[in-house]
Structures are given as C-alpha cells and as structure tokens.
Amino acid sequence: MKSFTVLDGLVAPMDRANVDTDAIIPKQFLKSIKRSGFGVNLFDSWRYLDPGEPGQAIDSRQPNPEFILNQPRYAGAQILLARENFGCGSSREHAVWALDDYGFRSVISSSFADIFFNNSFKSGLLPVVLSKDIVARLIAACEQNEGYRLTIDLAKQVVITPDNEQITFEVDEFRKHCLLEGLDDIGLTLAHADEIRHYEERRRSEVPWQFN
Amino acid sequence: MAGKTLYDKLWDSHIVRQQDDGTVLLYIDRHLVHEVTSPQAFEGLAIAGRKPWRTSSMLAVADHNVPTTAREAGISDPVSRLQVDTLDNNCDSHGIVEFKMNDARQGIVHVIGPEQGATLPGMTVVCGDSHTSTHGAFGALAFGIGTSEVEHVMATQCLLQKKSRNMLVRVNGEVSPGTTAKDLVLAIIGKIGTAGGNGCTIEFGGDAIRALSMEGRMSVCNMSIEAGARAGLVAVDETTIEYFKGRPFAPSKEQWEQAAAYWRTLRSDDDAVFDSVVELDAASIAPQVTWGTSPEMVTSVKGAVPDPATADTEVRKEGMERALEYMDLKPNTPITDIKLDRVFIGSCTNSRIEDLRAAAAMVSNRQVADNVKQALVVPGSGLVKKQAEEEGLDQVFRNAGFEWREPGCSMCLAMNADRLAPGERCASTSNRNFEGRQGQGGRTHLVSPAMAAAAAVAGHFVDIRDLEVRL
C-alpha cells in the first residue's frame, strides 16, 4: 500500500452533504475488472454534460464548467473538502480508487460513511474528520482564497492552515501506523496464521455445521 | 456487570486475537461473492501468490450485470460479459461454489444466501456489497466490505475490525394493515437520517419487528446501511429457526438440535445496555414514499413534498432545493399527485416471494395505467421465480401488463440494460434514490411492493389503505 506521511496540497471545496458513492463513481464504470483508470470518471455525472459510458475518449467529453473540479483554480487539487456523511451508499472501493486515480490523497469532512472510511485507508487515501464548524470555515476560506493549500501531517495528526493554525484530528493508532509505513494488511494478518487455525479448530468443535 | 447485546455476543465469539488499541482480528464464517467487487481481489491474490484460505466458506453468484431477458443468448454487453466470465473463471480455478447465470438457483446474492441456508444465525457474513446487512435478519453479524477487504477475507478468513457502538431501534405496537416492513424501515431512516447509524450496529426490536416474517426482517435489515449502519440485527426466535428447516446448506438432522439450541441464545440479554435507543410507534407509521435524492427524504403517502423554506439548517435547505430540482417536484405537492413513467418491483430489498404476493394482490384483475410505460417484476432468485410461477403470480402480473423477468439486481442500480431514461420517474421497491441510481437523470421514489404495484395501476401514488383489496 502507498504510504501517507505529510501532504501539502491544493484544496478543492465541495459544498455538499451526503456525497454518495454513486455520485463519486457511477455504476456503469464498475464493470471494469481493473483497479486503475477510474479518475477520468470521478464524479462523472456532475463533471460532464454528456452522458458517460465506459471507454469514451476523454477529449470527446463535454466538461460542465460549473462543476467545482472543472474550475481552473482547482486543477491539481490533492485535498477534497466536503460536508457531512461523505461516501454514503454502496461499498464500492472504486469510489476510493477514482479519488486516488484523479490525484486526491485526502478527503476532509465532518463525517464519513463507515465502509467508505474503511476503504480509504486500504488505498492510502487519508480521511480526516474535523468538526462541522471547522469544515464550514475551511470551505469559506478555500472559496475566498485562490490557491488555498493545507498541510496534513499524519504523524502529528494535525492539519495546518496557511495562517499556521494547527487543527488536530483523531486517527486510529493501528491504521495510522499502517498508513505511515505503507504496510500490507494481509501480510500482517498472515503473521497470525497459527492463531487463525487454532480459532478454527475450536469453532469446528463448537459449531461444526458452520464448517460443512 | 450488564448483560450482553446480541452484537456483543456475535462479536466476542468471532475474535481470533485482539490488539492493544482494540483492533480485532475477526473470523469470517461466510463469504458471499459477486462479479463487481471481486475481480480485483482475485487478481490481488494471484499477484501475491496467495490462495483462498477456506473455499468452503465462499458462495459466488453473478447478479449485478446479468440481463433479465433472453439469457440463453448470453450477455450482449462485452464489458459486462467479461466481468461475469472473470467470476466464472476465478471460481472454477479455485473450486469455489458458484451458481452460474443459467443455474436455477442463481439470483441476487442477498436473496440466495438465506434461501440456500448459506447464511445461518450466529455466523459472521461478509460480501463486497453494502446490502450484506440484509443477513442480520437471521441473527448473523453481516456487513458489506470493499474489495481490499474481500481480498483480505479470501486470503486470511479474517478482517481487521474495530467494534461499532450498540444502537437499538424499537418499533412498538402493531402496524396497521397496508404498512409493511419496507414502510417501517423507511420511517426509521426518516427519523434518524442517513447518517443516524454511522459507527453503529443497529438491533431492530419491539413487537412490530417480532411480528414480521423473515422476508420482512430482511427488508428492514437490508436498509440498515441507508440509515448509516454497516450492520443491522434481529434476534433469533422460532420464526428464524423454522425458516432454515430443509435448506440445502443448513445443518443436517444430526446437527439440527445442537444448532437450534445455540441459535436460541442469540438474543440480547434483558439487562444489556445499548449506547443509544430510538423508539417508534408502529401504529402511527403510514405507507411511506421518498420524494428526494436520499432515503431520509421520505414522507407518508398522505403527506406532501416538503418546502425547503422549513429546513432547520442552511446545508439541509440547499440539499432539499437541489433534490427538488433534480426530482422536478414543487413544494407542497401532494404525494398522491405524483405521476409515474415506470414501476420496478425487485432488488435485494423487496424481491422475495412475500413481496411478489403483496404486489400481485394489488394488480389482480387490474391493468397498468396508460401513462406507465413499463412495469417490471424481477424476482430475487430463480427459486423465487419458480415458486411465484407455481402460485400463478406471473400470470397475474402479465395479465395486468407487467413484464416478468429473470432474476438479478436489474433496475435497482441499472448496471444491465434495465434503466430509466433521463427525466423518467419511477416507483421502485429498491433501496436507493440517489441521483442517477436507476439511470442517468432518472427519478426514483422508494416504496413498498404493494405501494409500487398500486401505483402502476393508478398511474400515480395511491394510499393502498384506501383501495378495496384485501391487504
């Protein structure tokens, strides 16, 4: 997995609550059997005026000039700011892959849907939870100041504004460790293979029908 | 010490090891697999040179991409076909049990798991699909996972998890005729919101939940995720145990009594403490209809489209305005004035035999209204379809002008050819009314099967309690 340590990135504000995974990556793109290439279809139905289908040439599409990520000042943004309950809806990890493939390394919101939150860590996309008030303030600051950047320091668990305001955030100790080091979860778990076998043996005697 | 909740019991019995920070290695008993969220996981295994830990825990089926007509000819969309072929090949090469597209047992993964007895009380059940919460209806800890976690379960039979909070939603009293399990869960989501259950496992209890059939309990748990909770639960009772008798994957005769005795322990202790409790009065819940682009945007069929001016916060007001614009609805429009272009009866929420019976009762000796271009019934599995045909329900639907299709996810998420055209309005028994969910620019109203069927006949929403049919 990609590691995440310190990020200094341009911020794009998405002033919406309940951004769902169908919006992040519409279902017609889930037919792919690959993990990559979803970035061009990130937020497809908001981002383009023409209907999106898999395999279209990017230069044949009609970008929606109103959409936030199509505004030149947000080109190359690496941090997405959004209102509460970001990533609600389906379990599709393609939503995380699309954000990552587009170039985002972190999403800041006042809350995330559970499955999206979990999926983010698996691809090195850091979800940062800040209070509703702070998110509102950051969205306003970002809209008012072209080129607005934030620094996110995972080790110190802090978001740093251009005024050097330090906003701390919570992150699970184990997830932080995995992200900082870019560790492979499966490898870590397989180090406990004997314990898994031991558990299985015990359960097989307790609830044998579950192992039929 | 306080007693344990059902969730506590399920959690504790699946801990392989616990880390100092509370992260648990949780054992997974049943891994359901479908074509959309598994190819990258199988590929990940292959790249790392790993093999599935226990293939007997896995059951696979293609449901999202499959056509619901003319299946003998195969899948015409080459991209969909490749995804389904990839699942077939992966299952064949690893020796994983899969119900292929033309198998009589094929269907929506959350319908076939319980139907086969592959989901059992006391199990942990996962699938790369958020509606895995459905299986919690049986007192199983069931939740959706992303593709990286699919790969993790394949490789290790475990997941790294942090425990959720315990939430109890109690629906007291008795429902009135015409109000179904779907209406209960929509009303719950309307009350707590789509983020109301974030970070929680919801146990559904109370007399109204206890009175539901297993099909009804599945509809409720199915939409836990729309209330923000990864998992929903209903305690085991005799209704649960009765359901599994004679199912192919259920315990054999020799193991049955032992299993049933264990299953009867799968309920929250009387003195268990929940982190939060929400109460609803069943009798006050009318048939529900969503009016917006989030499942929490819901009201009674007797109600009207709300006015954003009444919203309590600016963010909510903007959300409502955006939803009404997308849905092309004006504030204060009575719900029963909303006219429909299509009707969809299906999905992992409402495609089981009881759902089809309830819908058929509404359309018997009636006709789909002229303004409704298409009314679809998509059974949840081949076995549901067969059962319905034995009961003559297919003829009831066909005679009324409905199309009777092959099983799959179909127009719930429109990954196959079944979809809304831009601007079309649909009464749907599915679970999500997000923008574009049923087709780009399509407008979705979530309702129960009986409400969808009645709307197909009337051409607009009607309160089924006003109809002269036996409810």
Side-chain angles (χ1 to χ4, degrees):
Chain A
M1 188 181 70
K2 247 189 328 203
S3 67
F4 187 111
T5 50
V6 180
L7 170 69
D8 166 50
L10 184 70
V11 186
M14 181 162 278
D15 192 1
R16 284 181 184 239
N18 302 312
V19 173
D20 62 75
T21 55
D22 275 84
I24 298 171
I25 184 79
K27 72 282 189 147
Q28 61 269 35
F29 306 108
L30 309 187
K31 295 178 188 180
S32 167
I33 57 169
K34 299 189 189 133
R35 238 176 221 270
S36 56
F38 295 100
V40 291
N41 300 112
L42 176 70
F43 297 116
D44 198 276
S45 48
W46 292 347
R47 188 166 149 201
Y48 303 102
L49 296 168
D50 57 318
E53 288 300 330
Q56 285 162 317
I58 181 74
D59 50 9
S60 72
R61 304 295 304 275
Q62 301 163 38
N64 175 3
E66 303 281 306
F67 184 61
I68 197 82
L69 298 183
N70 288 335
Q71 296 174 22
R73 61 183 279 196
Y74 298 120
Q78 289 181 290
I79 299 170
L80 187 66
L81 255 178
R83 302 273 184 183
E84 66 264 27
N85 202 27
F86 188 87
C88 62
S90 88
S91 67
R92 62 187 73 165
E93 198 162 320
H94 311 66
V96 173
W97 300 337
L99 287 160
D100 173 67
D101 194 49
Y102 180 89
F104 285 113
R105 297 296 324 277
S106 174
V107 181
I108 300 176
S109 176
S110 54
S111 65
F112 291 90
D114 293 351
I115 304 180
F116 177 87
F117 188 77
N118 225 34
N119 286 344
S120 298
F121 287 94
K122 310 290 180 187
S123 291
L125 180 81
L126 179 66
V128 175
V129 180
L130 299 178
S131 74
K132 273 189 186 179
D133 291 347
I134 292 174
V135 169
R137 190 152 56 78
L138 293 179
I139 287 177
C142 189
E143 285 171 349
Q144 283 155 19
N145 301 290
E146 195 162 337
Y148 189 82
R149 300 176 78 85
L150 289 169
T151 299
I152 302 174
D153 186 330
L154 176 60
K156 293 183 180 149
Q157 294 180 218
V158 66
V159 176
I160 306 162
T161 71
D163 307 330
N164 209 26
E165 182 189 353
Q166 314 252 332
I167 309 164
T168 56
F169 62 91
E170 293 296 317
V171 62
D172 195 82
E173 211 38 57
F174 178 69
R175 282 172 162 152
K176 175 178 164 180
H177 169 69
C178 290
L179 211 45
L180 284 171
E181 305 291 330
L183 297 176
D184 165 25
D185 275 2
I186 296 178
L188 290 177
T189 297
L190 286 175
H192 304 295
D194 286 346
E195 283 170 85
I196 301 172
R197 283 191 202 99
H198 182 73
Y199 172 91
E200 260 179 347
E201 223 169 281
R202 177 166 65 76
R203 285 294 276 180
R204 211 182 277 273
S205 64
E206 289 170 359
V207 287
W209 60 88
Q210 290 187 186
F211 292 84
N212 286 345
Chain B
M1 205 175 85
K4 285 180 171 185
T5 65
L6 171 55
Y7 173 56
D8 294 338
K9 293 180 187 182
L10 294 168
W11 178 266
D12 290 350
S13 63
H14 288 86
I15 297 174
V16 172
R17 73 187 301 274
Q18 185 151 0
Q19 295 173 190
D20 294 340
D21 72 337
T23 303
V24 156
L25 199 56
L26 196 74
Y27 189 80
I28 302 303
D29 297 310
R30 180 64 69 198
H31 187 186
L32 302 168
V33 176
H34 69 81
E35 79 276 23
V36 179
T37 53
S38 65
Q40 299 87 350
F42 279 112
E43 185 192 51
L45 278 190
I47 290 169
R50 292 169 177 144
K51 286 203 157 43
W53 180 280
R54 183 162 77 82
T55 50
S56 68
S57 72
M58 298 169 76
L59 176 62
V61 70
D63 55 4
H64 284 62
N65 268 304
V66 296
T68 56
T69 53
R71 281 206 181 155
E72 300 69 27
I75 303 175
S76 60
D77 174 359
V79 193
S80 290
R81 190 171 61 233
L82 175 63
Q83 200 169 51
V84 174
D85 287 348
T86 303
L87 179 67
D88 291 353
N89 294 338
N90 281 326
C91 290
D92 290 348
S93 67
H94 290 291
I96 295 163
V97 176
E98 184 199 10
F99 297 161
K100 294 207 164 66
M101 188 170 74
N102 289 320
D103 187 305
R105 300 165 295 177
Q106 181 269 344
I108 304 172
V109 67
H110 307 308
V111 175
I112 69 162
E115 187 173 78
Q116 292 294 322
T119 299
L120 292 170
M123 279 183 164
T124 42
V125 179
V126 297
C127 176
D129 191 284
S130 60
H131 290 109
T132 307
S133 58
T134 310
H135 309 260
F138 299 94
L141 178 58
F143 53 90
I145 55 178
T147 298
S148 294
E149 290 186 318
V150 169
E151 184 182 337
H152 196 285
V153 177
M154 284 177 179
T156 71
Q157 210 58 43
C158 292
L159 278 175
L160 286 159
Q161 295 287 300
K162 269 269 174 96
K163 198 175 175 191
S164 307
R165 292 186 302 277
N166 277 293
M167 182 178 199
L168 175 64
V169 173
R170 196 185 286 131
V171 190
N172 299 309
E174 225 178 293
V175 295
S176 27
T179 296
T180 67
K182 180 67 164 288
D183 303 302
L184 296 185
V185 72
L186 285 171
I188 291 166
I189 296 163
K191 185 176 170 93
I192 70 174
T194 50
N198 279 7
C200 299
T201 291
I202 301 179
E203 180 173 341
F204 298 96
D207 292 341
I209 300 292
R210 294 256 67 86
L212 294 173
S213 65
M214 288 319 304
E215 283 84 355
R217 294 179 194 182
M218 281 190 264
S219 298
V220 171
C221 288
N222 173 273
M223 290 190 73
S224 305
I225 186 69
E226 274 67 49
R230 225 174 154 183
L233 286 170
V234 175
V236 172
D237 59 13
E238 294 309 310
T239 308
T240 322
I241 294 170
E242 192 58 34
Y243 178 91
F244 288 107
K245 284 189 179 155
R247 304 219 174 242
F249 288 67
S252 62
K253 275 193 183 122
E254 299 74 49
Q255 292 173 334
W256 180 265
E257 287 309 323
Q258 190 194 352
Y262 171 61
W263 294 345
R264 287 190 182 97
T265 67
L266 299 172
R267 52 185 286 275
S268 290
D269 295 333
D270 294 336
D271 57 345
V273 177
F274 288 84
D275 298 296
S276 57
V277 180
V278 176
E279 308 232 18
L280 286 88
D281 168 29
S284 68
I285 299 171
Q288 303 282 302
V289 181
T290 65
W291 50 266
T293 53
S294 163
E296 71 185 21
M297 294 173 167
V298 64
T299 190
S300 146
V301 64
K302 285 276 190 261
V305 176
D307 189 340
T310 63
D312 52 355
T313 66
E314 193 59 27
V315 173
R316 201 179 286 268
K317 177 167 169 269
E318 283 170 17
M320 286 170 77
E321 285 168 348
R322 209 179 276 129
L324 292 190
E325 189 189 335
Y326 182 86
M327 294 296 288
D328 191 29
L329 289 172
K330 301 225 162 13
N332 305 315
T333 305
I335 294 296
T336 49
D337 282 1
I338 298 173
K339 289 195 168 59
L340 298 156
D341 302 305
R342 291 185 201 249
V343 172
F344 171 63
I345 296 173
S347 87
C348 58
T349 316
N350 284 126
S351 63
R352 300 177 182 85
I353 190 68
E354 180 181 287
D355 301 318
L356 303 189
R357 287 177 189 144
M362 292 291 145
V363 305
S364 181
N365 299 315
R366 290 181 170 80
Q367 285 297 312
V368 170
D370 289 342
N371 61 299
V372 175
K373 290 179 225 172
Q374 184 184 46
L376 275 185
V377 185
V378 184
S381 72
L383 298 180
V384 169
K385 181 169 184 258
K386 184 164 168 276
Q387 168 80 27
E389 287 171 353
E390 282 166 13
E391 296 179 20
L393 304 183
D394 59 323
Q395 275 312 319
V396 172
F397 285 117
R398 285 184 214 266
N399 291 345
F402 279 79
E403 294 174 36
W404 180 251
R405 296 292 189 89
E406 300 295 332
C409 299
S410 180
M411 208 195 274
C412 172
L413 86 167
M415 272 189 83
N416 70 355
D418 310 335
R419 61 183 77 170
L420 302 179
E424 285 185 338
R425 189 180 298 285
C426 181
S428 178
T429 66
S430 54
N431 40 55
R432 289 192 178 130
N433 52 352
F434 296 154
E435 288 183 20
R437 171 79 179 182
Q438 293 193 287
Q440 284 187 48
R443 297 172 177 135
T444 302
H445 296 272
L446 304 176
V447 287
S448 74
M451 284 286 289
V457 170
H460 55 86
F461 289 113
V462 287
D463 187 342
I464 54 172
R465 297 170 303 176
D466 298 340
L467 300 179
E468 288 177 15
V469 290
R470 196 166 51 85
L471 294 171

